[in-house]
């Protein structure tokens, strides 16, 4: 799992996320329940343009986990740029 929020990653690793007031930390915890093997990694926003772009398309009411099986052309282009 990659995030540009180093504080959220550190708190998720150290604290009891069930009592966290941070939505991001609670969501990290929720995802880890579905995935058996995972690793948290800090990535600068400019190093993960695809994720940053997808995050900007969400509204504040959009709190459900979404899995994108087939990224659209725009996301595939950003993933290629991230890889380079």
């Amino acid at each position: 799992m990659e995030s540009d929020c180093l504080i959220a990653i550190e708190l998720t690793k150290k604290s009891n996320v069930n009592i966290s007031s941070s939505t991001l930390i609670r969501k990290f915890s929720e995802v880890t329940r579905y995935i058996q093997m995972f690793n948290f990694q800090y990535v600068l926003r400019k190093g993960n343009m695809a994720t940053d772009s997808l995050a900007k398309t969400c509204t504040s009411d959009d709190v459900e986990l979404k899995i994108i099986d087939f990224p659209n052309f725009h996301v595939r282009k950003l993933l290629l740029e991230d890889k380079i």
Side-chain angles (χ1 to χ4, degrees), residues 10-68:
E10 290 174 351
L11 288 175
T12 301
K13 288 179 178 180
K14 294 178 184 178
S15 69
N16 182 350
V17 293
N18 294 328
I19 60 171
S20 175
S21 61
S22 168
T23 301
L24 180 60
I25 295 170
R26 285 195 315 271
K27 288 298 175 185
F28 279 174
S29 175
E30 181 180 324
V31 170
T32 62
R33 282 185 241 139
Y34 296 106
I35 302 171
Q36 292 180 359
M37 295 181 66
F38 61 89
N39 182 39
F40 290 105
Q41 182 174 342
Y42 173 69
V43 178
L44 293 173
R45 187 173 294 157
K46 67 180 182 178
N48 200 346
M49 294 183 289
T51 301
D52 187 50
S53 176
L54 288 169
K56 289 177 181 174
T57 65
C58 297
T59 65
S60 60
D61 296 336
D62 195 7
V63 295
E64 296 297 318
L65 173 65
K66 292 187 178 158
I67 298 172
I68 301 171

Side-chain angles (χ1 to χ4, degrees), residues 49-50 73-84:
M49 294 183 289
F73 175 78
H74 176 70
V75 173
R76 286 193 313 264
K77 180 181 173 205
L78 290 173
L79 287 170
L80 183 59
E81 289 177 25
D82 284 344
K83 186 176 180 179
I84 293 171

